[in-house]
Every structure is written in C-alpha cells, then in structure tokens.
Amino acid sequence: MPSRVLVLTGDPVGPTMAGPAIRAVELARVLAGHAHEVVLVAPALAPGSSPAGVRGVAARGDALRSLAGDVDADVVVAFAPLVAEHPWLADLDTTLVVDAYDPGLLETLERRRGEPVNAQRDWAAAAQRHLVEPLRHADVVLVASDRQRHLAVGALAALGRLTPRVVAEDPALDRLVRVVPFGTPDGPPPVSTARPLTGPGGLAGPGARVALWGGGLYDWLDPLTLVEAVARSTRDDLVAVFLAGRHPTPAVGHAPLVDRVRERAADLGLLGRRVVVHEEWVPYAERIDWLADAAVGVSLHHRHVETEFAFRTRILDYLWAGLPVVCSGGDHWAEVVAARGLGATVSPDDVDGAAAALDRLAEETAVEGDERRGRARVVAAEHAWSTVAAPLLDVCARPGRAPDRRVGDDPPGALGGVAAAARRVTRAARGRW
C-alpha cells in the first residue's frame, strides 16, 4: 500500500550536490517509482531538481515544521544530524527513519585533530549529539555497510534501545537496523563525448593518463600520497587531477587540505603540469564526462577510526564508469576491490606502493581491462539505487513504530519534550512491525 513519505536533507539540492543531498534525491526517486507519495525537502532546492513524481520543497526552521504537519507523512526519512537539529521530529506520529550512513563524529575527530583541546571537545560533543541522539528515537536506522551496522547496534545498546520488547519482536534487529548502501544509477553510464581532462583545452592535456581524485579533499583522507606517488611514478604521462571545488553546503567552508596539495605539488615542481587542482565542484549530471575521460580512480586515506566505518561513495562512481581503482586498505571498499579484482589496494601512507600500483595498472592489457570492467559493471549493478533501496521500500510498504517507541518506553534523554505522550496516539491505518 502506498505511503506518504517525507524525505529530508540538510544539504542544498540542485545541479551541484554533496553526498547527503544525492542520497536523498536518489532514494526519493526510487520511492516515487514505487507509487509512494514523496515530498523531498531541502534548505535550498533549485528549480527542476526534484525527480519525476517527487514534490520538491525548499524549507527550513519553522517552515519545515509547518510543512511536516501539513504532509502528515506515514514515514519520515531524515539524515541523522537533521533529526538532532530538529528534535520535534521525534514527536511526530510517524515512522521515523534515521539515515546514519555517514558517521560524522569519526570524521570530526580527524578534521579537528591538532586544534586547541577545548575546541576539539566542543566539536566532538556536537558531532556525537548529531550521530547518537537521533538513534534514541529511530524506528528504523539506515546504514551503508555491515561495518556500520555493527557501529549502530553498539550505539543502540549503549542507549538502552535493545530492550526485551525490541528483541522479542526483532531478534536479529533486521527491522531496526537496515543496510542501505549508497548507490549507482540504474543501468550502464551514458556514453560521453566530452573530454574535460584530455581533450583540446582539457585540464591534463592530450595523451595524459589521468589519475582522478573524484571527490572532496577532506582531512580524514590522504591526497598528499597521490601527489608524492606521481613524483615517483615511472610514467611521464601520469597526471593527477583533484576535484577541489568549494563544497555545495556553505557551512562546510574551505578545505585546508586543498592548500596543502597545491603547496606540496609546487614544492615538487608538479603543480599545473602533472598535478592539477580543479577549482569547481563538478555538477552531478556531468560527472560521467570526467570519469569517462580518466584512466584510474584514486581514493587514499590514513589509518584511523574513521577508516574502519567509512563508505567511500566516490569509489562507486569509479566502478560505475568502469575505472580501475587504487585505494588504501582498511575500509569496506578496499576489501571489495581486493576480493573482486577491481584494481589495487595499498597500505595507508605507502607512497611507493601507490606509485607502483598506478604504474602496474597502466600496463594492463586490453583483455585484462575488459575483464576488469566486466567485474566492475557487476559490482555497480549490485549497488544500483533500485536495488540498494529495497530495505527502505519494505519499510515504506509496511510502516510501523519500533516496539519501544510504539508503547512509549523510550530510554531517557528524549529529543522532544512531549514524545512519550505523542506516541500513545497512533493512526489506525499504521500497522505493527
């Protein structure tokens, strides 16, 4: 039976989008394709940015709260930090789906490393609230991988959510915590004739073999190893291109790591020649032009706790485009790349290993390349949005409260002051798990 679904993102929706906005748009698209009545809400929404069949609304603050009341949704799907910033979401008479696919606390710990201790504590406390507090009141928690599922279950246990009532109705927590990875577009990528990297006037120049850093330069990542690897590569045609445009969400601000990449490349005499920093955020619809013009996709990181639970969405884009992947070991995608023969994994901070991997992939034969691209297509198809969204589709087809939310015996620390009272009133049409 179709449901009314409110999909909320705290990031702008438009031609240029970051991961949370992309995820909201694509999940809304899939839900609408299954006849659910979907409203997509963002703080800013460019005209024409909503998927077909989805009502797009720009709203924040009081306007968002008013809209939520008007929609009277059966299901609300919201990015975890948004739930923390809008505690009244816990009071709605609805199935609350908290999307915790991006554990920002772990990113914050790396991003703020080296700052004054008191500042680090403040940032970490805010990030912990954004990640953990929404889980107190979630009917369903979405995560991107089994590793993240372990993290979420641990957090729920610490919050007192694993009550006898919950476990009696959901022994394996298959309903409460659901794996919905980031996805890829359904079907093969469109054929691209644009050549922004190696075409006339392209960033890298004709004949370049481009190692593409296809996402943001964040402090928990390691683009400097790629810069160093280019310097040590045996191939004069290898050019690293970093997509380093300003984040679409203004609050994210400038990424200091961009400056460090430029400085190190300049020190090595590579900047503008074999290391190129692109100053604009590539529009979502145009990313295939850049991917199709690259020779290899790169994602490197240091070894820290963020690595353990990361889900590098840029690697999915590489695989969707059929690119070989060079990535650091230790995270979810490193395991997949190694097990499925999709490129090369190297140890964190291993400059020589990264250089050797880039050189080795350049020697790939035509037959080896075709076989690897075939394997990449299989993995990309496994992660098509229509496939990975299946657990969320199930929730929307059978909305219902978590057992402890349904009877109002939430753990202490409610986000909303009248949450318990509100939950005692449930529409008759809404079923149990």
Side-chain angles (χ1 to χ4, degrees):
M1 179 177 177
S3 294
R4 293 184 298 278
V5 185
L6 194 61
V7 178
L8 308 178
T9 178
D11 282 20
V13 169
T16 58
M17 294 186 290
I22 293 170
R23 184 169 169 90
V25 167
E26 296 294 355
L27 290 177
R29 186 194 312 276
V30 175
L31 292 170
H34 283 74
H36 295 292
E37 183 182 334
V38 183
V39 179
L40 171 65
V41 186
L45 193 143
S49 297
S50 299
V54 175
R55 176 189 168 199
V57 180
R60 64 177 77 200
D62 291 341
L64 174 58
R65 187 167 189 169
S66 177
L67 175 67
D70 292 341
V71 170
D72 191 29
D74 301 297
V75 180
V76 172
V77 182
F79 193 39
L82 200 62
V83 178
E85 292 301 318
H86 297 279
W88 51 265
L89 286 167
D91 295 338
L92 296 177
D93 180 27
T94 187
T95 300
L96 180 60
V97 179
V98 173
D99 192 352
Y101 94 99
D102 185 7
L105 168 62
L106 309 183
E107 298 171 349
T108 297
L109 291 171
E110 289 305 313
R111 184 176 188 184
R112 301 298 170 180
R113 185 194 294 271
E115 293 186 5
V117 173
N118 287 342
Q120 289 190 59
R121 288 172 178 165
D122 290 344
W123 281 108
Q128 181 172 1
R129 181 174 64 87
H130 283 172
L131 175 63
V132 176
E133 287 301 309
L135 303 188
R136 292 185 187 275
H137 312 286
D139 294 303
V140 177
V141 179
L142 301 186
V143 294
S145 67
D146 286 336
R147 290 189 183 201
Q148 289 188 2
R149 189 174 193 275
H150 299 157
L151 178 65
V153 170
L156 290 164
L159 289 168
R161 289 294 308 275
L162 304 192
T163 65
R165 189 190 306 275
V166 168
V167 175
E169 295 192 25
D170 187 20
L173 304 182
D174 291 332
R175 173 77 184 190
L176 180 58
V177 185
R178 301 218 168 190
V179 178
V180 176
F182 211 85
T184 63
D186 288 79
V191 176
S192 173
T193 58
R195 296 173 62 197
L197 298 171
T198 66
L203 289 178
R209 177 177 174 79
V210 174
L212 182 66
W213 185 276
L217 278 75
Y218 305 122
D219 297 81
W220 51 92
L221 301 176
D222 181 24
L224 294 176
T225 285
L226 177 55
V227 174
E228 300 282 353
V230 170
R232 299 188 196 184
S233 170
T234 61
R235 298 189 62 94
D236 294 335
D237 60 347
L238 180 66
V239 178
V241 174
F242 294 90
L243 302 186
R246 184 171 289 273
H247 197 282
T249 302
V252 174
H254 176 67
L257 198 51
V258 176
D259 298 330
R260 293 170 57 196
V261 166
R262 288 197 194 93
E263 291 168 3
R264 186 56 184 148
D267 289 343
L268 294 169
L270 302 176
L271 186 62
R273 184 172 59 87
R274 296 190 57 200
V275 173
V276 179
V277 180
H278 184 54
E279 305 288 350
E280 299 179 13
W281 195 278
V282 172
Y284 183 53
E286 297 176 16
R287 71 196 188 286
I288 187 56
D289 297 333
W290 299 74
L291 294 163
D293 202 20
V296 59
V298 181
S299 179
L300 303 174
H301 53 247
H302 303 293
R303 185 178 182 276
H304 42 56
V305 68
E306 188 274 343
T307 295
E308 177 73 17
F309 298 102
F311 192 89
R312 312 284 185 217
T313 57
R314 67 192 71 198
I315 292 181
L316 271 175
D317 268 350
Y318 299 156
L319 298 177
W320 176 59
L323 291 177
V325 176
V326 172
C327 63
S328 301
D331 69 356
H332 166 85
W333 277 111
E335 291 183 349
V336 176
V337 168
R340 306 287 288 268
L342 304 174
T345 60
V346 299
S347 298
D349 307 308
D350 184 358
V351 174
D352 289 333
L358 291 168
D359 290 348
R360 186 168 61 253
L361 286 171
E363 303 301 323
E364 185 180 60
T365 67
V367 171
E368 290 171 337
D370 287 342
E371 291 175 346
R372 177 192 45 72
R373 279 186 288 273
R375 294 190 293 270
R377 282 193 293 269
V378 171
V379 175
E382 291 171 355
H383 288 79
W385 283 111
S386 61
T387 298
V388 300
L392 180 59
L393 287 169
D394 180 61
V395 171
C396 293
R398 300 184 299 118
R401 294 291 180 83
D404 52 343
R405 285 251 297 165
R406 187 175 63 242
V407 299
D409 62 351
D410 296 75
L415 281 171
V418 296
R423 290 182 197 118
R424 295 190 180 97
V425 181
T426 305
R427 286 194 293 266
R430 185 165 295 138
R432 294 164 59 94
W433 278 9

